[in-house]
């Protein structure tokens, strides 16, 4: 993150992503421009993140509570959420 | 025109009665109710996790899309979360229209979207342990039939 | 597994509750209710004539066909006859299955057959006079999609 | 019906067929081998039958309470019913 502006971002985890990471959410300081870059930062941080994000095909993302793509820009979003494919209904 | 996300059970009959109360413009009323299945008596716990800040918004978006596609006189989505017992109601949708085709199609559309696009996750606990219910590939595929019609 | 033909109204909620009572093998419950429509307030009378000796038999045949095609845990058809008021319930079908697709398809199949193959005739009276409701060509056409799959 | 054996057959009429014929049912003596032949006999009998059966495309038939074709044999059936296309549901 050298040279880039960082800012506070709320992260949320659900279902087995929450269980693997060990918490339902946290606030991080990040300069990641996209969700994918954010995931890379998290993976490098600790083993439990690397494990939770080991298969990205099994991970879904919401940016400010709207479903989004892994390559979505984070922009001025306040909250990014990670979870497995949904099983409503 | 209503979406409710709640821990408590709901009264299916009362909800359907309310939907058509005092009206004479509804010809067809379709309801779908999802229930907790336990075929072999081994289900110890069933839990529905959700993303509270996103859920109502996602359901309202799905409902608005259905109302844009079909001429509906009324619609309702109720989805529960939390711990449920075998046989309990998980959720319901209801659609009311002048004719049966619109009511059926809109109800199926709502269900297909709810299955794969509403932020709920199911966890089942049996004597062997707990596991998160996998999304079914058919459920993702079911969405495609609605894409084609856009 | 039940067919009822009756003059009296029915309690949709109670019927649906009875269908799943004490069971944990049902994952999906679909209901369709047909109602007397009166869009412009001009409907004076609505009457359903039927062929009593044939009706129950025809409905049981339709239901047996649905149960042969889809894995249903339960099904119900109730159809009224006689004079009905605007907004009143005309009939209902309910289908219960492990998964939603079977429940939806079986309910639509039952409705498509009921529309064109159950011996009921609707007569509407407005200030202009009485007329027998014409069968809709779409209803006959709707049957074809089930023929292809046989 | 000269030369053929006739027998008693119950007829039923519903909806506008019942209204045009003026009764819900009757018992006739007939030797008609098929429903179509029976309709011809009725047509010749009285004007109201000719009217009711003027457009056979609008007429449906049940033989002993089973839907049947106009060319269905009557055989040993006890009851033949005539009605317009059904409008259940």
């Amino acid at each position: 993150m050298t040279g880039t502006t960082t800012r506070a971002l709320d992260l949320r985890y659900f279902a087995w992503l929450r269980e693997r990471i060990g918490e339902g959410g946290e606030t991080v300081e990040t300069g990641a421009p996209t969700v994918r870059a954010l995931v890379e930062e998290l993976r490098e941080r600790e083993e439990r993140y690397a494990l939770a994000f080991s298969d990205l095909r099994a991970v879904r993302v919401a940016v400010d509570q709207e479903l989004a793509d892994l390559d979505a820009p984070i922009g001025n979003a306040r909250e990014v959420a990670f979870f497995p494919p949904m099983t409503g209904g | 025109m209503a979406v409710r996300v709640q821990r408590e059970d709901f009264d299916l009959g009362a909800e359907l009665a309310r939907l058509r109360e005092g009206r004479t413009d509804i010809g067809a009323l379709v309801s779908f109710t999802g229930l907790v299945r336990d075929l072999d008596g081994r289900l110890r716990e069933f839990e529905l996790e959700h993303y509270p800040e996103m859920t109502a918004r996602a359901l309202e978006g799905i409902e608005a899309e259905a109302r844009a596609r079909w001429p509906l006189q009324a619609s309702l989505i109720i989805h529960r979360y939390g711990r449920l017992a075998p046989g309990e109601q998980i959720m319901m949708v209801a659609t009311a229209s002048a004719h049966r085709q619109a009511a059926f199609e809109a109800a199926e559309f709502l269900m297909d979207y709810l299955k794969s696009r509403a932020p709920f996750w199911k966890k089942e606990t049996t004597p062997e342990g707990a596991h998160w219910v996998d999304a079914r590939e058919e459920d993702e595929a079911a969405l495609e039939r609605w894409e084609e019609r856009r």
Side-chain angles (χ1 to χ4, degrees), chain A, chain B:
Chain A
M1 281 170 240
T2 41
T4 57
T5 321
T6 68
R7 60 187 201 78
L9 185 67
D10 290 332
L11 303 187
R12 305 285 297 271
Y13 311 117
F14 294 96
W16 55 255
L17 269 143
R18 172 179 55 70
E19 289 178 339
R20 288 192 197 165
I21 290 168
E23 51 200 329
E26 62 188 314
T27 303
V28 296
E29 276 293 324
T30 178
T34 67
V35 176
R36 196 182 292 275
L38 171 63
V39 168
E40 284 313 313
E41 278 182 18
L42 292 169
R43 267 173 166 167
E44 280 161 29
R45 223 210 289 176
E46 272 180 61
E47 183 62 22
R48 57 191 172 116
Y49 292 99
L51 232 155
F53 290 110
S54 59
D55 180 7
L56 288 183
R57 288 170 308 175
V59 175
R60 299 289 177 273
V61 175
V63 174
D64 277 351
Q65 291 132 32
E66 295 277 2
L67 288 177
D69 203 85
L70 264 179
D71 294 306
I74 295 178
N76 293 316
R78 299 169 57 176
E79 183 172 294
V80 173
F82 297 99
F83 40 78
M86 293 154 277
T87 55
Chain B
M1 357 244 194
V3 161
R4 299 211 310 265
V5 183
Q6 61 190 43
R7 188 179 287 277
E8 318 81 63
D9 199 6
F10 53 86
D11 182 337
L12 175 62
E15 297 297 343
L16 295 176
R18 199 169 301 137
L19 220 63
R20 67 182 189 84
E21 198 168 40
R23 304 186 67 153
T24 59
D25 59 342
I26 297 174
L29 173 63
V30 168
S31 79
F32 178 94
T33 315
L35 303 159
V36 180
R37 271 206 310 154
D38 176 26
L39 280 178
D40 49 10
R42 293 161 45 79
L43 187 65
R44 294 278 161 84
E45 262 183 47
F46 180 94
E47 186 147 16
L48 256 172
E49 181 170 332
H50 77 132
Y51 182 177
E53 295 83 353
M54 181 175 162
T55 313
R57 164 194 307 215
L59 298 188
E60 280 159 12
I62 293 166
E63 194 192 37
E65 179 72 25
R67 299 180 66 83
R69 289 181 181 219
W70 289 278
L72 300 181
Q73 257 91 36
S75 58
L76 172 67
I77 303 174
I78 302 179
H79 209 303
R80 298 175 66 192
Y81 60 88
R83 198 167 288 187
L84 276 68
E88 272 198 81
Q89 299 180 128
I90 302 172
M91 50 75 62
M92 70 168 285
V93 307
T95 52
S97 187
H99 296 292
R100 75 185 186 289
Q101 203 194 344
F104 268 125
E105 284 188 5
E108 292 190 59
F109 170 87
L110 287 175
M111 286 310 304
D112 284 349
Y113 270 80
L114 275 168
K115 283 278 170 189
S116 307
R117 294 291 182 269
F120 290 93
W121 301 275
K122 292 176 179 138
K123 188 182 194 175
E124 293 181 349
T125 307
T126 64
E128 276 74 52
H131 75 278
W132 292 93
V133 175
D134 278 330
R136 303 194 316 159
E137 276 177 34
E138 311 95 273
D139 285 338
E140 191 61 37
L143 285 182
E144 284 166 24
R145 63 170 160 157
W146 306 111
E147 297 296 333
E148 285 157 18
R149 297 214 202 160
R150 286 192 95 129

